[in-house]
Amino acid sequence: MSFQGRSHLFNDRNVDHYRRSLTDGVERVASRISRAERPFSGITPAALAPEISAIDLEQPLSDPAAALDELEDVYLRDAVYFHHPRYLAHLNCPVVIPALLGEAVLTAVNSSLDTWDQSAGGTLIERRLIDWTARRIGLGESADGVFTSGGSQSNFQALLLAREEAFAKAAAEAAYAGNPLSKHDFLPRLRILASEAGHFSVQKSAKMLGLGMDAVIPVETDQDRRMRPAALARELERCRTEDLAVMAVVATAGTTDFGSIDPLPRIADLCEWAGVWLHVDAAYGCGLLASPTRRHLLDGIERADSVTVDYHKSFFQPVSSSAVLVRDAAVLRHATYYADYLNPARMAEQRIPNQVDKSIQTTRRFDALKLWLTLRIMGADAIGELFDEVVDRAAQAYDLLSRDPRFEVVTKSQLSTVVFRYLPAPGPERELADDANLHAREALAASGDAVVAGTKVDGHHYLKFTLLNPETSLDDIAHVLDLLADHAGRFIAEKVTPEQRRKAG
Ligand SMILES: *Cc1c(COP(=O)(O)O)cnc(C)c1O
């Protein structure tokens, strides 16, 4: 029994097993990918759940080939494939091969980046990439940061640091005035200002930080879904007169739905004037940091106190790969705790680089290796060019849609989303617009021919393309639009009776 278990341990005696097993797995994925004609099979949870429930986890198959056969049935056959040019839904990118190589290496060596004594070179590589990113942002010599599991965690950590800094400042002022401030009294007064088109992880972060979700005040946006500086100024002033403490302004560099970039320089001016922490959520827009032609769209980001970047969105990296960056390394101390067994303060005195001192995670993947190999093999320009291509494609898709009478398109994205809807003829058909768009998206997904996203604009159902695949051609997009128009048109034809149609004239 113990021999059977030991033969699976990854060690010097089992490297052949490792080679064979991984090669078989790679072969299965390669064959799946080369055969995938559609991004999705269209399977429903009701159809798939019984297959997975029926598997007896107490009865191992022992044989990797048998397990891979089974995996074909319960996962690979029906997975959603982001590499496919007609996957147009969410912020999932096709991934680059150097990063997959990195993933294979990091998971086998299994470094944990919490402490130097669990990672060694991994720690230094992560630090170089943090410095590289901070330099691209322009955060200055005192910048620092850490890799995280994703944009949500990066936003949370940034806001945690902002809250602690806001409290430290207020407590110091209160002490100076002779009336000490308790955190208990301070928390309910805290507010976060974020664009109404910002990401929901800001609200969730507020909740985890001991504030209500309603501590996030939505700031009005303009017709391009960019935060209005005048509205921000108004909210800052309102908070001041109501004795509320704004702990951070969150600007978004690439909103999830509209790809809109808030006017960073003007927001930075206002934050500077009000003495408020500026966090820039560039989870989506960070790809511009590598763009040879569009870096200027992020101008002003260098004035942020903290920045979120998601390499797993616009740097073509596999999940997870993200980071939070700060202008002043010292603020990361709010994430520090000295545990005797892990990172005693003595280690800090000896300048042993323990990344756990900067992170809210303890055991942590060496995700940085994927970006490292990407930069060492492809280089940043190649990544930026791939991102530029999808931004160009989105502009072409917008033009295509604005010439197409079947559809109505919302705003021209600065990045790579397109929000639009099928617009039926005025009259009884138009009244079915919401249902028709909802139906078209679901019917398309069920067919597996393409996957698109949906969102709401002014209370109405819209459709959304998020383009992150340079292999998606304008022909693919035109084809998907035809499919959507067919599904929506057929839905309406079934619902609207000839009688209604005659009446409407
Ligand atoms: C995706 C996204 C996030 C959340 O990032 P995850 O990596 O999914 O946790 C935050 N902000 C914006 C603007 C995003 O688009």
Side-chain angles (χ1 to χ4, degrees), residues 67 97 171 207 280 469:
I97 295 169
K207 190 169 183 177
V280 176
N469 190 345

Side-chain angles (χ1 to χ4, degrees), residues 91 149-153 155 198-199 201 252 254-256 281-284 308 310 312-313 322:
L91 277 164
S149 62
S152 304
Q153 193 191 343
N155 283 346
H199 194 262
S201 54
T252 312
T255 59
T256 315
D281 178 358
Y284 176 14
T308 286
D310 254 0
H312 64 214
K313 282 180 178 162
S322 181

Side-chain angles (χ1 to χ4, degrees), residues 40-43 48 51 72-81:
F40 181 43
S41 70
I43 195 150
L48 195 52
E51 287 202 49
E72 296 266 1
D73 288 340
V74 296
Y75 177 58
L76 290 174
R77 191 186 58 213
D78 297 299
V80 180
Y81 286 101

